[in-house]
Amino acid sequence: MPRKGMRTLFFKSPSPSPSNSPSRTTAMLPSSPRHSFSDSLMEENIEIAEALITKWDSDSGSTSYTAVTSIFYDDRQEARLYLKSVGDLQSAMQHFLISQTTSAEKLIRAQNLMQSAMKRLEKEFYQILSANREYLDAETVSSRSSRASTRTSVSDQDSESEDESRVATESVDHISWVAMSDLKSIADCMIASGYGKECVRIYNIIRKSILDESLYLLGVEKMTLSQVQKMDWSVLEKKIKNWLNAVKVSVKTLFYGERLLCDHVFAASDSIAESCFSEISKEAAMTLFGFPESVGKSKKLSPEKMFRVLDLYQAVSDLWPEIESIFSFESTSAVRSLAVNSLVKLGEAKETSKTPVPAGGAHPLTRYVMNYITFLSDYTEVLTDIVADWPLAISTPLPEAYFGCYDAEESQLSIRFAWLVLVLLCKLDGKAALYKDVALSYLFLANNLQYVVGKVRSSNLKSLLGDYWVEKHDSKVKQYAANYERMGWTKVFESLPEDPTAEISSDQATVYFKRFKAAFEEAYKKQTSWVVMDPKLRDEIKVSVAKKLVPAYREFYEKHRNGIMRACGEDSLVRYAPENLDNYLSDLLYGVASGGSVSSFSSSYCSSSSSHSRGRLGR
């Protein structure tokens, strides 16, 4: 509905009667032998244009009514005649320029009329843009795009007059279309008359202010790299959440709507449409996409904060087709480049971070991808229909762990999900290489694969990937755990003699006790800070280590402890009683480092029982 103020301004009194306009008969100049028919017609066009242009020229002493109202809202049929008269005037001027008999006086007269007409059209253009801000919003413009091709501009519409009562009750959709059509008609006329710059100047000022205001209301603000780097994480996280809420609306509604409006209003000139859209949107778009780029290269984020980086990456990635289409002009290529660069920087932050996940736990990428794939697996019926006509073309077969799992013809969806998981596992192999300690890299792989298998077991993925897949990857988890054990404890195992009960000298026994003490404390110190997230897997690993270590150490300890000094205390050579080793092992793989050195928890062989309050392994 038109706003109240607009109705007061434009519909206060009835329009002047069309009869006031001079007829072609009265406007016809007397012919003379020296005048050709073409000359007479051109002069007639000037006479007709002069009457209509002068009527609506606020500087020519016309009525105060025409000075404050709009021709497009007062009498739409007269608005069409006005545009046609300006076009005819332009044709007359072009004719006179090539005529040998045209006087300078006629050209000056026509030029003055053209300037008056352009001044009036500038005013009309400004009034329509200003009065229809709420009807030319991006959402309304976007919703009309599918129907735009079926409509015509004002100059092409039927000549039936639209009275006040009808305009007052028009829907928002119709008002938007009328405004767009009027703007296009005026722009066409001004561009054809050589006054495109004046039209563009007004358009850019008003539309840029509207777009900037809309982005501001969405919370989009310009931030430098330095500002982002200095921002506390709690503040930055709020900024990221707000940006994620704003970016979809900005791209799919605001920028898309502006592009449609520019293309429609300036359909007469592709170059003008491009320059207008670039002028209006480029700065705002650079502000919008500058933020994720700054986050991507601002600071090293801890793994638990990487979820937000992944969210930013996915948002830009999902919107890329729209970004590429909306900002397709050469003049807006910087926007496309910035969006791509933000993906690169965010990708570097999440994919090639040189900081591995602490303690060897589950990587944010594992959690994110598996949550996403698990969600997708709930829509198997829909996905099956989607891929039905999408032939599976995989040049490389699935690895051995997948053999016998799927029938390529009957399980295309299952194979696609299997490939998605495989790509994730390949990514994790690369993440494992970031650890300097090989044992920890295997623990990382065990944790992440265990997480993947757990998500498969507890979701619809199990029916897609099958029992064979679960069994094979369960075995792979155990293999990773065995590799961790081998790499993490071999040095401790080898610190004892191959035959713990063999006869050796007290000096040799002393050497072995020293080796064991150093190797065990080194392993203990590291592995109290490592983690195995799955309780069952954690217990299985510790029980396996205990079964290999404690019996061998017990045999050696009981055979040779009496042959060396019996001193007790922190500096004691024989620091660990066999019955207490499993208590130390129970401290491991919780992801929390001990408060001090292992010796602060030790018990000497002199102790008759463990001073630990913690239970033994297997309790």
Side-chain angles (χ1 to χ4, degrees):
M1 297 292 292
R3 291 180 294 182
K4 183 178 180 181
M6 186 174 74
R7 293 182 62 192
T8 302
L9 177 64
F10 295 143
F11 304 111
K12 187 173 182 180
S13 61
S15 62
S17 171
S19 63
N20 293 336
S21 300
S23 66
R24 287 179 178 256
T25 302
T26 59
M28 181 70 74
L29 293 175
S31 300
S32 68
R34 298 182 58 188
H35 279 71
S36 68
F37 175 76
S38 178
D39 289 336
S40 298
L41 185 59
M42 290 300 101
E43 290 176 0
E44 179 188 359
N45 286 342
I46 293 176
E47 294 289 341
I48 295 173
E50 183 174 32
L52 201 51
I53 291 171
T54 302
K55 173 185 174 181
W56 289 94
D57 183 4
S58 57
D59 296 333
S60 66
S62 57
T63 65
S64 59
Y65 174 75
T66 59
V68 298
T69 192
S70 164
I71 183 174
F72 281 84
Y73 285 92
D74 187 77
D75 189 332
R76 298 187 62 76
Q77 185 172 1
E78 188 157 312
R80 297 185 193 96
L81 291 174
Y82 190 98
L83 293 173
K84 182 180 184 303
S85 296
V86 173
D88 291 342
L89 178 62
Q90 176 67 16
S91 297
M93 291 175 64
Q94 291 174 346
H95 171 79
F96 287 155
L97 283 174
I98 61 174
S99 173
Q100 299 297 320
T101 60
T102 301
S103 66
E105 183 181 349
K106 290 179 181 179
L107 283 176
I108 292 173
R109 177 188 172 201
Q111 182 63 35
N112 289 338
L113 285 174
M114 181 63 72
Q115 290 177 351
S116 295
M118 292 301 107
K119 186 175 180 181
R120 181 71 205 192
L121 289 179
E122 277 188 64
K123 179 180 178 181
E124 296 287 337
F125 198 74
Y126 174 84
Q127 286 179 323
I128 294 170
L129 281 172
S130 299
N132 290 278
R133 286 174 65 107
E134 63 184 287
Y135 304 116
L136 293 175
D137 65 285
E139 185 174 358
T140 303
V141 173
S142 300
S143 68
R144 288 210 52 87
S145 62
S146 62
R147 298 185 294 275
S149 60
T150 64
R151 296 293 193 95
T152 57
S153 65
V154 167
S155 57
D156 296 326
Q157 290 177 359
D158 60 76
S159 59
E160 183 179 351
S161 178
E162 298 173 1
D163 57 28
E164 178 184 352
S165 61
R166 178 182 176 187
V167 173
T169 57
E170 288 289 356
S171 67
V172 170
D173 187 67
H174 180 75
I175 294 173
S176 169
W177 175 252
V178 169
M180 289 173 64
S181 299
D182 290 348
L183 290 171
K184 179 182 182 301
S185 297
I186 295 173
D188 287 347
C189 184
M190 293 185 73
I191 291 170
S193 302
Y195 286 79
K197 288 184 179 179
E198 290 77 0
C199 180
V200 166
R201 178 182 58 82
I202 296 170
Y203 185 88
N204 286 351
I205 290 172
I206 294 179
R207 294 310 303 177
K208 188 175 189 304
S209 69
I210 292 173
L211 180 61
D212 290 344
E213 180 184 356
S214 299
L215 285 176
Y216 175 79
L217 293 175
L218 286 173
V220 177
E221 56 184 311
K222 189 171 185 178
M223 284 183 284
T224 64
L225 175 60
S226 176
Q227 288 174 314
V228 174
Q229 287 175 326
K230 295 175 182 178
M231 205 172 286
D232 290 338
W233 171 249
S234 59
V235 177
L236 180 58
E237 187 175 28
K238 289 180 181 178
K239 297 286 187 185
I240 292 174
K241 289 180 179 178
N242 183 74
W243 187 91
L244 291 169
N245 291 330
V247 68
K248 188 173 182 180
V249 175
S250 299
V251 173
K252 292 197 170 186
T253 301
L254 296 183
F255 291 117
Y256 179 58
E258 286 300 329
R259 173 65 190 268
L260 289 175
L261 189 60
C262 276
D263 288 348
H264 180 84
V265 172
F266 298 105
S269 172
D270 291 342
S271 61
I272 292 178
E274 175 179 349
S275 67
C276 282
F277 180 71
S278 178
E279 176 68 23
I280 292 166
S281 66
K282 186 175 179 181
E283 183 180 353
M286 296 294 281
T287 296
L288 181 68
F289 295 113
F291 176 73
E293 184 199 36
S294 295
V295 173
K297 64 183 182 181
S298 64
K299 61 183 73 175
K300 290 184 177 180
L301 298 176
S302 58
E304 61 271 17
K305 296 173 183 176
M306 277 295 169
F307 281 114
R308 291 301 174 199
V309 173
L310 289 167
D311 289 339
L312 289 173
Y313 184 94
Q314 182 176 1
V316 179
S317 180
D318 289 347
L319 290 169
W320 172 247
E322 286 87 354
I323 296 168
E324 188 176 29
S325 174
I326 294 169
F327 299 96
S328 60
F329 296 129
E330 181 62 30
S331 58
T332 55
S333 61
V335 176
R336 301 195 305 273
S337 297
L338 183 58
V340 170
N341 199 50
S342 70
L343 286 176
V344 171
K345 294 302 179 183
L346 292 168
E348 289 174 353
K350 72 184 184 68
E351 291 295 344
T352 60
S353 171
K354 299 305 179 183
T355 304
V357 175
H363 197 282
L365 185 65
T366 308
R367 298 176 184 272
Y368 186 86
V369 172
M370 288 309 300
N371 287 341
Y372 187 77
I373 295 176
T374 300
F375 175 79
L376 277 181
S377 70
D378 291 333
Y379 297 88
T380 53
E381 291 185 8
V382 175
L383 292 172
T384 300
D385 291 338
I386 291 174
V387 304
D389 299 321
W390 178 21
L392 187 65
I394 301 176
S395 57
T396 305
L398 287 164
E400 184 179 353
Y402 297 80
F403 286 172
C405 211
Y406 312 112
D407 183 325
E409 294 184 357
E410 297 179 0
S411 306
Q412 289 196 28
L413 190 60
S414 295
I415 295 175
R416 285 183 167 87
F417 273 97
W419 269 107
L420 287 174
V421 177
L422 179 60
V423 170
L424 170 63
L425 298 181
C426 290
K427 290 281 188 183
L428 293 175
D429 284 343
K431 302 295 183 187
L434 297 174
Y435 293 98
K436 295 180 180 179
D437 194 304
V438 178
L440 184 55
S441 69
Y442 279 118
L443 200 64
F444 169 82
L445 290 171
N447 273 318
N448 282 268
L449 184 54
Q450 179 69 21
Y451 182 89
V452 171
V453 172
K455 293 294 284 187
V456 170
R457 270 205 185 96
S458 61
S459 69
N460 196 46
L461 282 172
K462 187 173 186 295
S463 63
L464 287 166
L465 300 183
D467 292 333
Y468 180 84
W469 187 98
V470 173
E471 291 172 6
K472 295 295 291 186
H473 287 81
D474 255 339
S475 298
K476 193 72 173 179
V477 172
K478 290 180 172 56
Q479 181 182 332
Y480 286 144
N483 289 342
Y484 146 76
E485 181 183 314
R486 176 171 54 83
M487 300 304 298
W489 290 96
T490 294
K491 189 175 179 180
V492 180
F493 297 151
E494 292 178 348
S495 66
L496 296 172
E498 188 173 345
D499 182 0
T501 60
E503 293 291 342
I504 57 175
S505 67
S506 60
D507 289 341
Q508 289 175 311
T510 298
V511 171
Y512 280 118
F513 272 115
K514 285 181 178 180
R515 285 181 185 174
F516 179 82
K517 172 179 173 290
F520 184 80
E521 290 185 357
E522 180 185 359
Y524 180 90
K525 183 178 181 181
K526 288 192 299 184
Q527 296 186 39
T528 50
S529 64
W530 296 358
V531 68
V532 173
M533 301 177 303
D534 183 77
K536 182 181 178 183
L537 179 62
R538 181 171 58 241
D539 286 345
E540 288 175 353
I541 290 174
K542 290 193 287 190
V543 167
S544 177
V545 172
K547 285 182 177 179
K548 293 179 177 68
L549 181 61
V550 176
Y553 178 71
R554 185 185 303 278
E555 290 181 344
F556 178 75
Y557 173 84
E558 292 177 351
K559 176 71 175 178
H560 300 288
R561 64 173 178 168
N562 292 325
I564 59 176
M565 62 182 186
R566 293 172 171 268
C568 298
E570 189 171 311
D571 295 328
S572 172
L573 177 61
V574 184
R575 184 168 296 169
Y576 310 108
E579 59 268 24
N580 294 322
L581 280 182
D582 56 3
N583 288 315
Y584 291 108
L585 293 175
S586 70
D587 289 328
L588 305 180
L589 305 180
Y590 285 99
V592 180
S594 59
S597 67
V598 67
S599 59
S600 63
F601 298 102
S602 65
S603 299
S604 75
Y605 73 95
C606 303
S607 302
S608 59
S609 63
S610 170
S611 62
H612 284 265
S613 60
R614 291 182 295 274
R616 297 171 63 87
L617 280 175
R619 277 190 187 178

